[in-house]
Amino acid sequence: MAPDPLPAEALYRRTDLAGLDFRSTADLDDVETLVGQDRALDAVRFAARMRSRGYNLFVMGAKGSGKHAAVRNYLNERAAALPSPDDWVYVNDFEDAHRPRCLRLPPGQGPGFARRLEGLVKDLRDTVPGLFEAEDYRLKREAIEKRFAERSEARFKEVAEEATKRDLALVRTQQGLVVAPVEDGKPMPPEKFQALPAERRSVLQAAIEEVQGHLRAALHTAPILERERQAAVRALDREEAGALVDLEMAEARDGLELPAEAAAWLQLLRDDLVDNVSAFVRPAEGDENGGVPAASGPPEARFRRWAVNVLVSNDATRGAPVISEDHPTLGRLIGRIEHRAQMGAMLTDFTLIRPGALHVANGGYLLLDAQKLLTNAHAWDALKRALYAERVVIEGPAESAATALMVSIQPCPIPLAVKVVLFGDQRVQAALSAMDPDFTDLFKVAADFDDVMDRDAAHDLLYARLVATIQRRSALRPFDRGAVERVIEHCSRLVSDARKLTARVGVIADVMREADYVGRDRRHRVIRAEDVEDALEAQRYRSDRVERRMREQILRETVRIATDGEAVGQVNGLAVLQAGQLAFGRPTRISARVRVGRGRVIDIEREVELGGPLHSKGMLILQGYLAGTFAPDVPVALQASVVFEQSYGGVDGDSASSTELYALLSALSQLPIRQGIAVTGSVDQMGMVQAIGGVNEKVEGFFEICNARGLSGGQGVMIPRANVEHLMLKPEVIEACRRGAFRIWPIDSVDDGIEVLTGVPAGERGPDGRYPEGSVNRLVEDRLLGFAEARRKYLGDGDEA
């Protein structure tokens, strides 16, 4: 027997919160965590507490599921109980300025350490000039100058005395000192020297050469003496500055408890300050090879070598950091080295090192979007290197292409201890798992946030509290009990399941905000059910232009859809179309024609490459049902064609396979089908009708057409029985079904469906192996046997027959 239509009560599951003690959401407490996400939150807790390497977290879930807020809230709570990580600073390596050192300092001490050293340098800039202008220093300096001047004069005096003994003299000319013979205390003119007897000239020439040798020796010792003089002056400067630097250093270190490495570097700083104390009074004498810059640069450049670059500083009272990086480029992830343009070259130093998200999150948690991370060049590989090596190396992607006009540095790596949380979806997770073996090794934990939760009495109060939580956090007006019930019912409609609710907090919040907007315009102090209903209707109205245009085409019969009468080989199928955020049902006419052939059912959609693989699969299943159900002992001699009429786009999915089968059965049996009934549902090879998606939109799409033309009482929709629990239909559909003006039939099998469509029993095989006379199946089988006989007669008794 054909199934009875569903009662109106089965078409919509209402929510009744009368048993809960509240009048509005103002009477309900907030929920502390996401409702219905216990499994995912357990995974988050496990990953956050697991200390072994590789137990980083990949969080999956639909957009708007609240996963970001839930994970961040838990990590904030967890991080607050953890110790604050140490500060990290970069300082100059006085032995190799191209490899800056990194120093670890207790949490919160980095900025203070930098300020103290900045004050130290400032104090030295103020006090050192006065030190070298003091009378005591001037006298010591003059003594050194005098001592070396006397040594130089004594050396030349010895040469002059040697010259005098040999009747020679040192004469200063434009070419320097020369040795010349003298006469009457004056240098002898050259012509007179040439007029001397040869023996006398020979004696004088030998004496000249000997004295010139002494002169050359004296001249050669002059640079040595100058270097010794400069060394003595520097030694004096170091001696004089050492006490002052030690005093300033002691003041800068007062009260600081520094790690051994930082204390050792301070000693190196002290020595470098003493060695380069001249920079505070004579900057032009700076050393170009790693020493103090010359005065031609920026005024502060010569003091930059003693600065401290605070890379990361953590508040000692706030626990571990929880950092989100919304744009994870390579530089923003692992840090970068900036450059200054100076005289056509790009220069840098340790003060231009900038931290990345890994530095800032070190010792805590780093939250990243997987899709954004993968679309930024080199970022994913850099993250993997850092996690494997457990240290952060600041490097750029183009270091190998650096030109001679760019000066770079190699900062020392920072040890890394961070828990990384990636947010993505199943598609990204599956792709990474399949294509990168490192992913499963580094991200061993997955937190999969569900997009639905059970709708039962146990969750009613929790869901009502969730609505209250969203209302307060979004600063909305309170929702009364009726409004909360309507929100819950809509959340069930969103997932097309009367036994489930959406867990997407963002979607729920959007509905509530729009209801608050409607209630505010009406000056309602508390949002009511009608406010929610009108907000939903307005939401649909804003985006249903395409749906209305398609419905208009059907009502004007530009697109032919019959909603009354009967026709052979023609059935109204149902499809769901998506236009932006709106999904709506659209009826489509499916027709079938049959004749004698070679056992082929032609899917016209597939032949013209408009049918997708799932649709083609449904057609092959349909052929399997026909071959196994009718005349199984006789070769199939059927040629049929099936098509979606007036369909100009692609067709996919198997939800119309039962509809196509009904059209074929009608064409074979020559029994007309009631055009006021639309059909949806897939079919298996045994003839059982299976569940499909979008059942609410499909039913409502056909109802809108019938209602616009006028309900006759013979119209309705056949759906798979498995879809009954998914029904959450509009009030106007329910009311029409309650009056009997529209019907919805739950179908288990093809036999049930064809009986509803034709009014003729499908029939079951009797003991004689045949279907009852006049039944649909008997008519179909007889037609197929007739096709086989006709084919046999046409081909004759040959081998092919």
Side-chain angles (χ1 to χ4, degrees):
M1 295 179 60
D4 294 328
L6 291 171
E9 292 74 21
L11 306 181
Y12 191 89
R13 180 180 174 183
R14 300 197 176 278
T15 299
D16 185 5
L17 302 180
L20 301 181
D21 186 19
F22 79 99
R23 297 179 59 186
S24 73
T25 53
D27 303 325
L28 295 172
D29 297 329
D30 287 351
V31 290
E32 298 177 357
T33 185
L34 281 182
V35 177
Q37 303 287 3
D38 295 340
R39 177 176 49 82
L41 294 175
D42 283 344
V44 174
R45 285 188 284 269
F46 170 73
R49 295 172 180 270
M50 190 68 176
R51 296 183 179 180
S52 300
R53 197 198 73 174
Y55 283 86
N56 297 294
L57 179 65
F58 191 93
V59 179
M60 296 177 286
K63 188 175 182 62
S65 61
K67 58 185 183 294
H68 286 85
V71 172
R72 189 174 185 90
N73 289 340
Y74 174 75
L75 293 181
N76 282 334
E77 179 182 347
R78 165 77 177 159
L82 296 176
S84 296
D86 293 329
D87 289 3
W88 286 95
V89 301
Y90 271 110
V91 294
N92 189 17
D93 187 328
F94 302 112
E95 296 179 356
D96 187 354
H98 293 287
R99 296 182 180 273
R101 291 190 180 189
C102 54
L103 300 179
R104 184 197 301 265
L105 297 174
Q109 286 195 13
F113 182 72
R115 286 193 298 271
R116 291 202 180 198
L117 292 193
E118 182 182 3
L120 165 67
V121 172
K122 183 178 183 303
D123 290 344
L124 290 176
R125 292 174 63 181
D126 293 339
T127 57
V128 168
L131 175 68
F132 290 105
E133 292 173 1
E135 181 68 18
D136 182 59
Y137 173 81
R138 186 179 63 79
L139 293 176
K140 292 179 181 178
R141 177 71 179 267
E142 289 177 354
I144 293 174
E145 301 287 351
K146 182 178 180 181
R147 184 172 72 251
F148 280 94
E150 289 174 351
R151 288 180 60 186
S152 179
E153 290 174 1
R155 188 72 180 93
F156 284 101
K157 185 176 180 181
E158 291 177 359
V159 176
E161 290 175 352
E162 288 291 331
T164 302
K165 292 178 182 179
R166 293 169 172 76
D167 295 331
L168 301 173
L170 294 180
V171 179
R172 188 175 299 277
T173 67
Q174 292 181 351
Q175 289 76 29
L177 291 175
V178 297
V179 180
V182 295
E183 182 181 23
D184 299 330
K186 295 181 179 179
M188 183 182 296
E191 59 275 8
K192 193 167 184 178
F193 177 76
Q194 294 297 328
L196 293 175
E199 182 179 353
R200 178 60 178 167
R201 285 202 316 272
S202 176
V203 171
L204 287 176
Q205 189 66 40
I208 289 172
E209 292 178 358
E210 180 181 358
V211 174
Q212 282 181 337
H214 291 298
L215 178 61
R216 284 193 295 271
L219 291 174
H220 287 163
T221 54
I224 298 174
L225 287 175
E226 177 60 21
R227 286 196 298 271
E228 292 178 355
R229 183 194 69 80
Q230 292 179 1
V233 171
R234 285 196 295 269
L236 173 63
D237 290 350
R238 285 194 297 270
E239 180 183 353
E240 293 295 318
L244 178 61
V245 171
D246 288 340
L247 181 64
E248 297 288 352
M249 289 284 293
E251 183 178 347
R253 292 190 58 174
D254 184 37
L256 286 180
E257 296 182 4
L258 299 175
E261 187 176 0
W265 179 81
L266 279 181
Q267 184 59 42
L268 296 177
L269 171 68
R270 183 264 179 201
D271 295 340
D272 192 73
L273 284 170
V274 172
D275 290 341
N276 294 280
V277 69
S278 59
F280 295 95
V281 288
R282 292 185 297 277
E285 298 180 6
D287 182 5
E288 295 181 358
N289 299 317
V292 181
S296 58
E300 300 299 321
R302 62 180 183 271
F303 304 111
R304 198 177 293 139
R305 66 184 283 115
W306 300 304
V308 174
N309 180 8
V310 181
L311 192 73
V312 178
S313 179
N314 296 288
D315 191 328
T317 63
R318 291 187 179 178
V322 178
I323 303 300
S324 293
E325 178 51 64
D326 294 329
H327 186 42
T329 61
L330 179 64
R332 294 172 70 93
L333 185 65
I334 65 170
R336 64 191 186 279
I337 301 172
E338 297 178 348
H339 289 74
R340 296 187 184 94
Q342 183 174 337
M343 300 182 67
M346 301 300 292
L347 305 180
T348 189
D349 55 48
F350 70 96
T351 63
L352 296 180
I353 300 173
R354 301 293 179 253
L358 284 171
H359 297 104
V360 181
N362 199 5
Y365 303 93
L366 175 60
L367 283 57
L368 300 170
D369 184 274
Q371 186 73 32
K372 294 178 181 178
L373 181 69
L374 293 173
T375 53
N376 279 291
H378 310 287
W380 171 244
D381 289 335
L383 176 63
K384 291 193 299 182
R385 285 196 300 271
L387 293 178
Y388 272 125
E390 297 183 337
R391 63 179 190 171
V392 189
V393 180
I394 301 178
E395 56 188 356
E399 285 188 352
S400 59
T403 65
L405 296 179
M406 177 178 289
V407 176
S408 189
I409 55 178
Q410 296 180 354
C412 74
I414 302 289
L416 180 65
V418 68
K419 187 76 68 174
V420 178
V421 180
L422 284 184
F423 292 89
D425 54 27
Q426 285 82 358
R427 176 181 56 86
V428 175
Q429 196 258 3
L432 285 172
S433 298
M435 301 176 64
D436 191 343
D438 294 334
F439 172 73
T440 53
D441 189 39
L442 291 172
F443 291 85
K444 299 180 186 293
V445 184
D448 192 356
F449 282 76
D450 204 346
D451 57 352
V452 297
M453 58 176 288
D454 292 335
R455 181 184 178 188
D456 50 33
H459 284 91
D460 282 348
L461 177 58
L462 280 176
Y463 215 82
R465 290 175 58 194
L466 175 62
V467 172
T469 304
I470 296 173
Q471 173 255 311
R472 278 189 282 271
R473 292 181 179 177
S474 301
L476 307 178
R477 287 167 170 76
F479 282 54
D480 68 13
R481 182 187 289 117
V484 175
E485 291 173 344
R486 186 64 188 92
V487 169
I488 293 176
E489 292 165 1
H490 177 67
C491 291
S492 188
R493 160 73 183 229
L494 288 174
V495 296
S496 297
D497 194 337
R499 297 173 60 182
K500 297 289 183 180
L501 293 166
T502 182
R504 298 174 62 185
V505 178
V507 176
I508 306 169
D510 289 343
V511 173
M512 295 177 61
R513 292 188 189 100
E514 294 178 25
D516 179 78
Y517 172 84
V518 173
R520 185 171 65 249
D521 276 359
R522 295 172 176 175
R523 301 185 182 278
H524 291 168
R525 301 182 64 181
V526 177
I527 304 302
R528 306 169 186 174
E530 56 266 28
D531 298 331
V532 179
E533 187 66 45
D534 290 345
L536 295 174
E537 188 61 33
Q539 184 184 81
R540 185 177 185 87
Y541 176 75
R542 290 192 297 268
S543 55
D544 69 349
R545 183 188 65 83
V546 176
E547 178 187 9
R548 289 174 181 271
R549 183 61 56 85
M550 288 188 173
R551 189 185 308 145
E552 179 185 352
Q553 290 176 343
I554 294 173
L555 295 176
R556 294 175 61 184
E557 297 189 359
T558 305
V559 175
R560 290 180 52 204
I561 299 292
T563 55
D564 55 17
E566 297 179 336
V568 174
Q570 178 175 301
V571 186
N572 287 326
L574 295 171
V576 174
L577 301 182
Q578 190 81 29
Q581 298 296 321
L582 177 66
F584 60 92
R586 176 179 180 268
T588 182
R589 182 164 46 98
I590 298 173
S591 64
R593 299 296 297 271
V594 296
R595 56 161 291 168
V596 178
R598 302 181 61 181
R600 184 184 180 198
V601 177
I602 298 174
D603 177 9
I604 295 179
E605 307 295 336
R606 180 176 60 186
E607 294 295 324
V608 297
E609 298 183 353
L610 287 178
L614 295 180
H615 178 258
S616 298
K617 176 184 176 183
M619 288 296 299
L620 295 175
I621 291 173
L622 179 154
Q623 295 177 50
Y625 169 78
L626 288 175
T629 303
F630 303 107
D633 299 330
V634 178
V636 179
L638 165 70
Q639 173 139 336
S641 61
V642 181
V643 69
F644 282 70
E645 301 287 0
Q646 293 186 283
S647 172
Y648 307 104
V651 175
D652 202 4
D654 64 349
S655 65
S657 59
S658 68
T659 313
E660 294 165 319
L661 180 54
Y662 295 136
L664 276 173
L665 294 177
S666 172
L668 287 167
S669 66
Q670 294 296 296
L671 291 173
I673 286 178
R674 297 162 59 188
Q675 298 300 293
I677 300 176
V679 181
T680 185
S682 67
V683 67
D684 65 15
Q685 292 193 104
M686 307 306 171
M688 303 305 295
V689 178
Q690 304 167 134
I692 45 80
V695 64
N696 293 298
E697 290 79 6
K698 291 178 177 179
V699 171
E700 292 166 356
F702 189 66
F703 172 82
E704 294 291 346
I705 300 298
C706 296
N707 190 44
R709 289 176 172 174
L711 297 175
S712 64
Q715 297 150 329
V717 176
M718 291 190 339
I719 67 171
R721 187 176 294 276
N723 283 119
V724 172
E725 63 182 13
H726 301 148
L727 292 174
M728 291 292 293
L729 296 172
K730 291 181 178 178
E732 53 265 34
V733 181
I734 299 172
E735 180 57 30
C737 291
R738 180 176 287 110
R739 292 186 286 106
F742 195 79
R743 293 177 174 86
I744 298 174
W745 290 271
I747 303 301
D748 289 307
S749 65
V750 172
D751 287 350
D752 292 343
I754 197 65
E755 189 165 341
V756 172
L757 289 171
T758 63
V760 178
E764 297 182 3
R765 287 191 187 275
D768 59 353
R770 305 196 67 184
Y771 291 107
E773 189 72 30
S775 66
V776 176
N777 290 340
R778 177 64 175 270
L779 295 172
V780 172
E781 188 166 71
D782 288 348
R783 187 80 180 281
L784 290 173
L785 289 171
F787 284 167
E789 179 65 19
R791 180 176 174 80
R792 186 187 66 79
K793 290 180 179 180
Y794 177 76
L795 296 175
D797 297 327
D799 292 338
E800 186 176 351

